């Protein structure tokens, strides 16, 4: 662990409201971002006229909606905000809006059963962005999730958008959590707030004045509120939330022994626990209560290149260049674009990359802040092992996995054991930050994890 203040965004605590982003003249809508590689195919063709909110691609529980009304101008390969390439649909803006500028009416979702709520989540195209983007419907439809953990702060301290959504849309986040909890058959919900922030006060709206769970939103569901020490990084991983909840959950586990594994650091990965963030809960609220599919994201836009920083409500398909323009454009020469945080994010190479459901923040970094660094051979200094919060040896995993990829291994069984240990990695990125050889340790371990699962 290290002090989180090393990575704090200068914008932390500065934003009291968000701005609606400019509408893109052409929305570039990614359709293949999920890690599971589920085939997603367009259901529209070039030349088709589409409405705002219309489904334009489907596949394996994934629905993708048009963020704007207009005409499909192209379907082809584009660079994604996660650094990969994939298929996208270009929609040229034109026509009447179905949701923008319209008053949203409230619908009563509480009479719906689990199957109906699952279909609401599937049709709305909700993704879970707690860590890596995944389709929420696929996560909760195959098996019941007994405990839902809601992290109400940013796991990457260089971002502020999760904290912003939790503070400014707290009632919607709470009700959206109730929708997800009912849809997945949860026995308990854990709201995890950062002890140093104001979310601890806001989240008590999930309970009545006497402290008992609000039975209208959470009938038969236990509601726990736990504080997480955010002074150190990492502090917002699934493992951190489980550790923070162990003491508060003792009475609950005693009455519900089936959920004990959800609160065990050694067993929660294989248990029926679900971990979500505020934007996921907010999307569930909008889908179930307001009948609005996922068409936009709140994005923290920052960086010393820009004339100003902001929290923008961005339409999916808006390019990073268009987002920068709304923040006053560049005052310094741009060198790097980092998506989703300096600590745990990814670097993309073009202003033409579109905002997607995956994006939480964009930082534009000037040339003066970037040093040239080249990758060298591992010097076996052990710094990565010392700083790893889960006591792995990242350098060793890196070397073994690279050798396996190159078919240069001497003991396959030992190599397999080392690679399987990568599953314990929480992908905090601290090993990258201390490696004197600038090895892509986190990225290689992420590949090893995908191989071992």
């Amino acid at each position: 662990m290290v002090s989180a203040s090393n990575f704090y965004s200068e914008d932390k605590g500065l934003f009291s409201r968000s701005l609606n982003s400019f509408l893109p003249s052409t929305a570039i809508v990614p359709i293949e971002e999920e890690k599971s590689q589920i085939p997603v195919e367009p259901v529209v063709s070039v030349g088709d006229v589409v409405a705002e909110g219309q489904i334009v691609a489907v596949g394996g529980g994934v629905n993708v909606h048009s963020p704007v009304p207009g005409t499909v101008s192209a379907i082809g390969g584009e660079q994604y905000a996660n650094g990969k390439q994939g298929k996208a649909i270009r929609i040229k803006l034109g026509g009447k809006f179905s949701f923008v500028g319209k008053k949203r009416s409230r619908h009563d979702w509480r009479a719906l059963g689990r199957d109906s709520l699952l279909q609401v989540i599937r049709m709305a195209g909700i993704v879970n962005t707690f860590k890596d983007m995944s389709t929420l419907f696929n996560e909760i439809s195959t098996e019941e999730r007994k405990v839902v953990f809601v992290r109400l702060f940013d796991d990457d301290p260089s971002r502020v958008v999760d904290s912003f959504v939790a503070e400014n849309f707290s009632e919607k986040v709470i009700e959206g959590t109730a929708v997800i909890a009912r849809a997945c058959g949860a026995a308990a919900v854990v709201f995890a707030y950062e002890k140093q922030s104001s979310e601890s006060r806001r989240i008590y709206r999930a309970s009545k004045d006497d402290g008992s769970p609000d039975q209208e939103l959470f009938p038969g569901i236990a509601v726990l509120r736990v504080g997480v020490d955010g002074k150190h990084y990492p502090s917002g991983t699934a493992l951190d939330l489980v550790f923070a909840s162990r003491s508060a959950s003792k009475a609950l586990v005693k009455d519900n022994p089936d959920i004990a594994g959800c609160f065990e650091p050694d067993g929660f990965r294989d248990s029926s626990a679900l971990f979500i963030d505020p934007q996921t809960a907010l999307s569930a609220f909008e889908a179930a209560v307001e009948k609005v599919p996922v068409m936009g994201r709140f994005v923290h836009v920052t960086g010393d290149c820009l004339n100003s920083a902001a929290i923008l409500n961005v339409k999916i398909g808006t390019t990073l260049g268009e987002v920068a323009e709304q923040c006053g454009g560049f005052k310094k020469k741009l060198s790097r674009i980092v998506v989703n945080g300096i600590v745990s994010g990814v670097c993309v190479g073009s202003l033409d990359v579109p905002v997607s459901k995956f994006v939480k923040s964009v930082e534009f970094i000037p040339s003066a802040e970037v040093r040239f660094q080249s990758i060298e051979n591992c010097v076996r200094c052990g710094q990565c092992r010392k700083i790893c919060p889960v006591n792995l040896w990242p350098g060793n995993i890196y070397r073994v996995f690279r050798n396996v990829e190159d078919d240069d291994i001497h003991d396959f069984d030992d190599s397999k054991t080392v690679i399987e240990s990568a599953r314990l990695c929480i992908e905090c990125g601290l090993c990258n930050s201390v490696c004197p050889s600038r090895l892509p340790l986190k990225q290689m371990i992420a590949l090893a994890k995908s191989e071992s699962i």
Side-chain angles (χ1 to χ4, degrees):
M1 282 190 175
V2 297
S3 173
S5 61
N6 293 342
F7 308 113
Y8 277 153
S9 168
E10 294 179 354
D11 305 328
K12 188 175 178 67
L14 295 182
F15 300 114
S16 59
R17 65 188 183 94
S18 62
L19 300 173
N20 289 326
S21 178
F22 299 146
L23 294 172
S25 57
T26 298
I28 307 171
V29 185
I31 65 174
E32 295 177 329
E33 278 193 301
E34 195 189 20
K35 261 193 169 183
S36 62
Q37 303 299 314
I38 297 174
V40 180
E41 296 297 333
V43 293
V44 294
S45 303
V46 174
D48 287 353
V49 176
V50 297
E52 181 194 13
Q54 178 179 329
I55 294 175
V56 294
V58 299
V62 181
N63 282 342
V64 181
H65 301 77
S66 175
V68 295
T71 303
V72 177
S73 60
I75 300 174
E78 302 281 354
Q79 184 180 353
Y80 284 1
N82 60 7
K84 300 180 180 179
Q85 296 279 335
K87 192 179 295 184
I89 301 173
R90 286 180 173 256
I91 302 171
K92 186 176 181 180
L93 177 65
K96 296 182 179 180
F97 284 88
S98 305
F99 298 96
V100 171
K102 306 293 176 63
K103 184 178 180 180
R104 296 184 179 183
S105 57
R106 183 182 177 89
H107 299 81
D108 187 7
W109 59 272
R110 301 176 197 183
L112 298 177
R114 179 173 184 253
D115 289 342
S116 297
L117 288 174
L118 285 173
Q119 291 309 309
V120 168
I121 289 170
R122 182 182 69 84
M123 293 299 295
I126 299 174
V127 297
N128 184 4
T129 51
F130 177 86
K131 183 60 180 174
D132 298 308
M133 193 183 90
S134 59
T135 302
L136 183 61
F137 174 80
N138 291 336
E139 281 194 275
I140 65 178
S141 61
T142 55
E143 63 175 317
E144 289 188 346
R145 299 285 184 162
K146 296 298 184 182
V147 180
V148 178
F149 291 84
V150 191
R151 185 191 61 226
L152 297 167
F153 57 96
D154 296 270
D155 58 325
D156 187 320
S158 67
R159 296 196 309 256
V160 301
V161 73
D162 282 337
S163 301
F164 174 85
V165 171
E167 291 190 23
N168 290 274
F169 301 94
S170 56
E171 293 181 353
K172 293 183 177 182
V173 168
I174 291 166
E175 189 164 357
T177 300
V179 171
I180 294 172
R182 295 265 286 273
C184 65
V189 169
V190 179
F191 289 106
Y193 58 87
E194 190 177 23
K195 290 179 180 178
Q196 291 77 21
S197 74
S198 62
E199 289 134 30
S200 56
R201 297 191 298 271
R202 295 178 182 274
I203 205 58
Y204 276 89
R205 295 181 185 180
S207 297
K208 293 182 177 179
D209 292 338
D210 63 0
S212 60
D214 184 338
Q215 291 302 310
E216 292 184 3
L217 284 180
F218 300 97
I221 301 174
V223 178
L224 303 179
R225 295 160 299 280
V226 299
V228 178
D229 186 357
K231 291 182 180 179
H232 298 93
Y233 176 82
S235 62
T237 68
L239 182 62
D240 294 312
L241 304 194
V242 169
F243 267 118
S245 305
R246 293 188 74 188
S247 178
S249 65
K250 286 182 179 179
L252 177 61
V253 169
K254 185 176 181 180
D255 295 333
N256 300 271
D258 290 344
I259 66 174
C262 298
F263 296 99
E264 291 296 332
D266 295 331
F268 76 92
R269 290 180 177 86
D270 299 318
S271 71
S272 54
L274 175 71
F275 297 85
I276 65 172
D277 60 2
Q279 291 222 61
T280 303
L282 180 60
S283 295
F285 172 88
E286 293 176 339
V289 179
E290 299 177 337
K291 305 297 183 185
V292 178
V294 178
M295 297 180 290
R297 305 304 278 175
F298 284 100
V299 179
H300 174 209
V301 185
T302 188
D304 287 342
C305 269
L306 296 175
N307 279 293
S308 63
I311 298 284
L312 298 181
N313 188 0
V314 182
K315 283 287 190 181
I316 288 168
T318 304
T319 66
L320 302 185
E322 291 169 323
V323 168
E325 283 183 26
Q326 183 157 357
C327 290
F330 299 120
K331 61 182 180 181
K332 297 179 181 178
K333 184 179 179 181
L334 176 65
S335 178
R336 297 285 189 275
I337 307 170
V338 178
V339 173
N340 285 359
I342 290 294
V343 187
S344 58
V346 296
C347 190
V348 298
S350 172
L351 290 169
D352 295 327
V353 170
V355 170
S356 66
K357 297 177 183 180
F358 165 81
V359 176
K360 290 186 175 184
S361 71
V362 185
E363 184 157 355
F364 298 93
I365 302 174
S367 301
E369 295 182 10
V370 177
R371 294 185 301 168
F372 175 76
Q373 297 174 322
S374 60
I375 296 176
E376 306 292 343
N377 292 327
C378 175
V379 295
R380 301 182 184 241
C381 64
Q383 293 300 313
C384 59
R385 189 176 187 179
K386 291 179 182 178
I387 204 169
C388 178
V390 292
N391 299 315
L392 294 177
W393 190 351
N396 195 36
I397 298 173
Y398 174 88
R399 286 191 299 273
V400 171
F401 184 69
R402 187 182 62 180
N403 290 338
V404 169
E405 291 289 282
D406 295 340
D407 293 326
D408 182 20
I409 57 175
H410 303 290
D411 191 323
F412 180 79
D413 290 335
D414 285 349
S415 298
K416 184 178 180 181
T417 300
V418 171
I419 292 173
E420 286 179 347
S421 73
R423 294 185 62 193
L424 300 174
C425 174
I426 58 176
E427 298 184 38
C428 64
L430 288 179
C431 52
N432 280 20
S433 71
V434 298
C435 179
S437 299
R438 313 314 301 162
L439 297 173
L441 299 173
K442 173 196 163 187
Q443 291 79 4
M444 187 67 84
I445 293 173
L447 287 174
K449 285 174 67 175
S450 65
E451 292 284 335
S452 65
I453 294 175

